Short mmCIF file of all heavy atoms in Angstrom, two decimals:
data_model
loop_
_atom_site.label_atom_id
_atom_site.label_comp_id
_atom_site.label_asym_id
_atom_site.label_seq_id
_atom_site.Cartn_x
_atom_site.Cartn_y
_atom_site.Cartn_z
N SER A 134 -35.51 10.06 -20.49
CA SER A 134 -34.46 9.95 -21.62
C SER A 134 -34.05 11.23 -22.12
O SER A 134 -34.65 12.20 -21.85
CB SER A 134 -34.86 8.84 -22.60
OG SER A 134 -36.10 9.32 -23.05
N LEU A 254 -14.10 -5.33 -21.29
CA LEU A 254 -13.24 -5.32 -22.44
C LEU A 254 -12.30 -6.42 -22.48
O LEU A 254 -11.94 -6.98 -21.31
CB LEU A 254 -12.58 -4.03 -22.61
CG LEU A 254 -13.47 -2.80 -22.75
CD1 LEU A 254 -12.79 -1.44 -22.51
CD2 LEU A 254 -14.23 -2.74 -24.11
N ASP A 308 -6.49 -5.36 -11.21
CA ASP A 308 -7.76 -6.07 -11.27
C ASP A 308 -8.14 -6.64 -12.73
O ASP A 308 -9.19 -6.40 -13.12
CB ASP A 308 -8.91 -5.15 -10.67
CG ASP A 308 -10.08 -5.98 -10.22
OD1 ASP A 308 -10.03 -7.20 -10.26
OD2 ASP A 308 -11.02 -5.38 -9.76
N LYS A 348 9.97 9.54 -10.23
CA LYS A 348 8.83 10.40 -9.77
C LYS A 348 7.78 9.54 -9.05
O LYS A 348 6.74 10.07 -8.70
CB LYS A 348 8.30 11.12 -11.00
CG LYS A 348 9.17 12.12 -11.57
CD LYS A 348 8.53 12.92 -12.66
CE LYS A 348 9.44 13.86 -13.30
NZ LYS A 348 8.75 14.53 -14.45
N ASN A 405 3.70 -12.70 2.19
CA ASN A 405 4.79 -13.06 1.16
C ASN A 405 5.56 -14.18 1.93
O ASN A 405 5.06 -14.67 2.99
CB ASN A 405 5.75 -11.90 0.85
CG ASN A 405 5.09 -11.05 -0.18
OD1 ASN A 405 5.02 -11.53 -1.39
ND2 ASN A 405 4.66 -9.85 0.11
N GLY A 416 13.13 2.36 11.31
CA GLY A 416 12.82 3.42 12.23
C GLY A 416 13.22 4.79 11.63
O GLY A 416 12.78 5.82 12.23
N LEU A 597 -5.13 -9.32 44.77
CA LEU A 597 -4.33 -8.01 44.47
C LEU A 597 -2.94 -8.05 44.84
O LEU A 597 -2.00 -7.57 44.08
CB LEU A 597 -5.19 -7.02 45.25
CG LEU A 597 -4.56 -5.52 44.94
CD1 LEU A 597 -4.78 -5.20 43.49
CD2 LEU A 597 -5.35 -4.49 45.88
N ALA A 639 0.74 3.95 41.32
CA ALA A 639 0.39 4.62 42.51
C ALA A 639 -1.06 4.31 42.88
O ALA A 639 -1.44 4.10 44.00
CB ALA A 639 0.61 6.17 42.39
#
Side-chain angles (χ1 to χ4, degrees):
S134 53
L254 299 163
D308 202 1
K348 296 185 182 173
N405 278 294
L597 187 62

